[in-house]
């Protein structure tokens, strides 16, 4: 018996997928033209109202040249395309709704683009890529140690031979423009598949998100058991689907910054070849944007996955099992009462029911009841006087205050009257420790100002100070010399006010 029945079922299943349903519709060329005009590699999403207006403008332009187009307006068409799983609507960062293409629409655009290319992709570059990939995977799949060593030795020998030839001045074979064009077309074909691949991973994560939330809402087990299970599912999310496993493998490879930098350098090297002069500015810019395309795709998938984790955490935290069960019980009781009523009610019978309960006419509703504990006196303070430190003496407190003007005057008068000091600084450096605080310098300057002796100072001298904690510090202060008349005036100040 032939396999035609199985093949027919497989083909029908493929045609039921959104990608082929898009290509099989009457308005498929118009839909794909709108998608290609509205979205691009650099413009992955479009604000919802803007896309509605753009589709209306496209419809008007095509009608003006006599082209048959759908009769619906832009908003209705976008909603229809969203229901057909060609567009995806979500809320953006700014809170506005925006559309983006699904993986099915991206695959359809990629297929149409590949069919419309002038250059065939069956080339030496593509066959070389296939051969190299098969050789690499065969080496990885072969468990024979000796065979792996043989392959590695052969590859090392080839590379060493080529290096030796180049080191000895061997000729470097120049690649032709046709060969570069073939290799470029092969790379572009592979690069263009990346957006739909990343979008499939995003959709897989979103589908898992919806499935987990729906399953969670239907759970009747204890909340702790549900929490453990769904946290486990979240951790294994990327390994439970083929798209997720493929993304994890690619992500592990692309986390290598050195590899990404090498890829960028290789892209620049390719565009330095003369064949790149035949490419348009848009093609060169898109080719150089490959690294950004890869990083953007990875960021989108990680953002979708982080959003899933956040939503699940908030749902689990805010989920109230008791209220859900009460609502479910109430709905079941309503269904039972409805079934009883339908046994006697006619086909056009109605029942009046209030959508919202009425308000209660209550003059005053007590919000807080009397709590005797709220009127208890506060507990007595604990006696901690035994732990109090010794009070500071008057001498200690004075040492932390301002200058000791009276003692300074007396010390200065004594120093100059006995001829023990030639200047104020020299006298200060010979004072007792309690009179050599840094603040005492200000007292000395105050007294010298009262005597009008500061203006004669033409040099500086050092004041060696001693703080109460024992630390020393030196200051440069104008050198002040007091004569006999000023010394007598200073002695007379001791009998008056400090502020005189």
């Amino acid at each position: 018996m032939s396999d035609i029945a199985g093949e027919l079922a497989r083909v029908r299943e493929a045609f039921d997928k959104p990608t082929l349903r898009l290509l099989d519709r009457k308005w498929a060329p118009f839909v794909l033209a709108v998608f290609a005009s509205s979205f691009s590699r650099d413009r992955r999403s479009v604000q919802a109202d803007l896309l509605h207006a753009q589709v209306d403008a496209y419809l008007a332009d095509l009608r003006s040249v006599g082209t048959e187009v759908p009769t619906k307006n832009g908003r209705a068409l976008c909603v229809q395309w969203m229901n057909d799983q060609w567009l995806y609507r979500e809320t953006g960062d700014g809170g506005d709704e925006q559309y983006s293409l699904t993986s099915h629409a991206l695959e359809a655009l990629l297929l149409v683009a590949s069919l419309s290319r002038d250059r065939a992709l069956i080339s030496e570059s593509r066959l070389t890529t296939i051969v190299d990939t098969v050789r690499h995977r065969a080496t990885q799949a072969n468990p024979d140690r000796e065979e792996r060593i043989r392959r590695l030795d052969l590859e090392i020998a080839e590379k060493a031979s080529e290096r030796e030839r180049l080191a000895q001045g061997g000729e470097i074979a120049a690649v032709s423009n046709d060969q570069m064009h073939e290799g470029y077309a092969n790379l572009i074909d592979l690069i263009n598949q990346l957006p739909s691949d990343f979008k499939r991973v995003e959709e897989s994560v979103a589908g898992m998100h919806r499935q987990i939330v729906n399953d969670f809402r239907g759970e009747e087990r204890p909340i702790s058991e549900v929490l453990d299970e769904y946290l486990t599912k979240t951790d294994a999310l990327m390994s439970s689907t083929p798209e997720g496993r493929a993304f994890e493998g690619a992500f592990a490879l692309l986390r290598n910054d050195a590899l990404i930098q090498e890829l960028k350098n290789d892209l620049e090297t390719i565009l330095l070849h003369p064949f790149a002069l035949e490419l348009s500015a848009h093609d060169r810019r898109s080719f150089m944007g490959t690294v950004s395309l890869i990083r953007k795709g990875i960021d989108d998938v990680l953002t979708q996955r982080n959003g899933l984790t956040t939503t699940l955490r908030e749902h689990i935290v805010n989920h109230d099992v008791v209220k859900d069960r009460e609502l479910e019980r109430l709905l079941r009781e309503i269904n039972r009462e409805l079934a009883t009523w339908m046994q006697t009610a006619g086909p056009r019978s109605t029942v009046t029911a209030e959508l919202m309960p009425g308000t209660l006419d209550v003059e005053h509703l007590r919000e807080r009841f009397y709590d005797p504990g709220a009127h208890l006196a506060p507990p007595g303070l604990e006696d901690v006087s035994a732990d109090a430190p010794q009070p500071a003496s008057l001498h200690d407190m004075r040492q932390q205050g301002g200058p000791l003007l009276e003692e300074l005057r007396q010390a200065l008068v004594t120093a100059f009257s006995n001829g023990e000091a030639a200047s104020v600084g020299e006298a200060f450096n010979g004072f007792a420790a309690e009179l050599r605080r840094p603040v005492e310098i200000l007292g000395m300057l105050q007294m010298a100002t009262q005597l009008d002796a500061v203006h004669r100072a033409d040099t500086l001298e050092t004041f060696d100070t001693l703080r109460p904690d024992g630390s020393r510090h030196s200051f440069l202060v104008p050198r002040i010399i007091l004569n006999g008349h000023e010394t007598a005036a200073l002695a007379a100040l001791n009998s008056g006010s400090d502020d005189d």
Side-chain angles (χ1 to χ4, degrees):
M1 183 176 180
S2 64
D3 297 332
I4 186 63
E7 289 295 327
L8 179 60
R10 185 177 63 83
V11 172
R12 282 177 174 172
E13 182 181 358
F15 269 85
D16 287 337
K17 294 183 177 180
T19 301
L20 289 184
R21 280 195 284 107
L22 171 57
L23 298 174
D24 191 43
R25 296 294 176 86
K26 172 184 177 181
W27 303 114
F30 169 75
V31 177
L32 291 173
V34 170
F35 289 168
S37 301
S38 303
F39 299 91
S40 65
R41 177 189 295 182
D42 300 326
R43 194 185 188 191
R44 297 173 175 269
S45 59
V46 179
Q47 202 269 339
D49 293 338
L50 178 59
L51 183 60
H52 298 161
Q54 285 182 349
V55 176
D56 286 333
Y58 296 150
L59 291 171
D61 291 344
L62 292 176
R63 290 192 185 104
S64 64
V65 297
T67 303
E68 185 181 6
V69 293
T71 56
K72 296 181 179 180
N73 60 15
R75 179 184 295 273
L77 287 175
C78 289
V79 173
Q80 176 184 338
W81 297 339
M82 184 179 64
N83 295 332
D84 290 333
Q85 301 181 35
W86 303 331
L87 282 180
Y88 178 72
R89 186 167 62 187
E90 60 183 349
T91 302
D93 297 336
D96 298 331
E97 289 190 340
Q98 57 187 19
Y99 289 106
S100 59
L101 295 179
T102 65
S103 62
H104 311 295
L106 291 172
E107 288 177 346
L109 287 172
L110 183 61
L111 179 59
V112 171
S114 64
L115 294 176
S116 61
R117 287 196 186 99
D118 295 332
R119 186 180 298 273
L121 291 179
I122 301 178
S123 61
E124 177 187 358
S125 173
R126 172 150 293 196
L127 294 178
T128 301
T129 301
I130 294 174
V131 171
D132 291 342
T133 303
V134 170
R135 181 185 297 114
H136 177 66
R137 293 306 176 191
T139 301
Q140 291 182 327
N142 193 342
D144 188 354
R145 184 185 304 273
E146 297 299 328
E147 178 61 20
R148 285 200 178 191
I149 294 176
R150 187 191 68 81
R151 285 175 178 261
L152 291 174
D153 289 341
L154 180 61
E155 183 178 355
I156 292 172
E158 292 177 355
K159 301 294 184 182
S161 176
E162 177 64 13
R163 182 187 183 284
E164 184 67 22
R165 185 184 71 82
L166 294 175
Q168 294 177 358
E171 181 183 1
I172 300 178
V175 62
S176 66
N177 285 359
D178 289 339
Q179 290 175 321
M180 290 299 297
H181 270 295
E182 291 176 357
Y184 171 78
N186 183 28
L187 287 175
I188 288 298
D189 182 60
L190 296 175
I191 293 171
N192 288 339
Q193 296 178 24
L194 290 177
S196 60
D197 293 340
F198 284 122
K199 182 59 69 173
R200 275 196 298 271
V201 180
E202 288 186 56
E203 293 172 353
S204 176
V205 175
M208 182 67 73
H209 181 187
R210 291 189 295 269
Q211 176 186 352
I212 289 178
V213 172
N214 291 335
D215 293 344
F216 183 81
R217 290 173 178 170
E219 287 290 350
E220 296 182 355
R221 295 175 294 168
I223 186 66
S224 58
E225 182 179 342
V226 176
L227 179 63
D228 291 340
E229 178 177 345
Y230 283 100
L231 287 179
T232 303
K233 285 186 178 181
T234 303
D235 293 337
L237 179 63
M238 300 306 293
S239 60
S240 60
T241 61
E243 296 87 354
R245 289 191 293 270
F247 173 78
E248 285 292 339
F251 183 56
L253 182 65
L254 295 175
R255 276 184 295 189
N256 188 341
D257 293 336
L259 178 63
I260 292 294
Q261 185 60 39
E262 185 178 354
L263 173 61
K264 185 176 181 180
N265 295 337
D266 291 341
L267 294 173
E268 294 176 352
T269 301
I270 292 175
L271 290 182
L272 291 176
H273 192 274
F275 96 97
L277 297 176
E278 303 175 15
L279 301 177
S280 65
H282 174 73
D283 291 339
R284 291 195 296 270
R285 186 168 56 253
S286 299
F287 189 69
M288 278 305 302
T290 301
V291 174
S292 300
L293 173 67
I294 295 173
R295 286 177 172 167
K296 182 65 170 59
I298 292 177
D299 291 341
D300 290 343
V301 175
L302 294 180
T303 301
Q304 184 75 22
R305 187 168 64 177
N306 293 338
L308 164 61
T309 304
T310 302
T311 302
L312 285 178
R313 182 177 63 251
E314 293 178 352
H315 181 80
I316 291 173
V317 171
N318 299 323
H319 182 62
D320 193 333
V321 179
V322 176
K323 289 184 178 180
D324 287 352
R325 290 178 180 175
E326 290 177 353
L327 178 60
E328 184 180 2
R329 187 183 306 110
L330 178 60
L331 293 176
R332 283 199 299 266
E333 292 177 358
I334 293 176
N335 287 333
R336 283 197 299 268
E337 294 296 331
L338 182 62
T340 304
W341 178 70
M342 290 297 296
Q343 293 176 2
T344 57
R348 296 185 179 275
S349 300
T350 59
V351 61
T352 302
E354 294 183 0
L355 295 179
M356 295 295 294
T359 58
L360 297 177
D361 187 9
V362 180
E363 295 182 359
H364 175 72
L365 182 62
R366 185 181 293 275
E367 298 179 357
R368 186 171 56 187
F369 296 98
Y370 174 75
D371 182 9
H375 298 273
L376 295 177
L381 296 178
E382 183 180 356
D383 184 7
V384 295
S385 58
D387 299 329
Q390 292 294 329
S393 65
L394 178 60
H395 179 269
D396 294 336
M397 289 188 290
R398 292 192 68 190
Q399 286 297 311
Q400 301 299 326
L404 305 175
L405 295 179
E406 185 176 350
E407 289 84 346
L408 282 175
R409 289 194 193 101
Q410 184 63 39
L412 274 178
V413 170
T414 301
F416 278 93
S417 298
N418 298 336
E420 299 176 355
S423 65
V424 174
E426 185 177 343
F428 179 86
N429 293 334
F431 289 167
E434 60 270 13
L435 294 180
R436 289 174 56 195
R437 298 177 301 157
V439 72
E440 308 297 352
I441 298 178
L442 301 178
M444 303 282 280
L445 292 175
Q446 177 185 343
M447 289 185 290
T449 302
Q450 291 173 337
L451 298 173
D452 197 19
V454 177
H455 70 279
R456 299 198 308 270
D458 55 357
T459 59
L460 300 177
E461 61 181 341
T462 302
F463 280 58
D464 296 325
T465 63
L466 181 63
R467 292 189 174 93
D469 61 1
S471 60
R472 296 178 179 271
H473 196 76
S474 298
F475 296 89
L476 291 177
V477 182
R479 180 179 175 84
I480 302 172
I481 301 175
L482 301 180
N483 54 35
H485 176 71
E486 292 169 341
T487 303
L490 186 62
L493 285 175
N494 271 339
S495 60
S497 173
D498 291 343
D499 297 326
D500 291 342

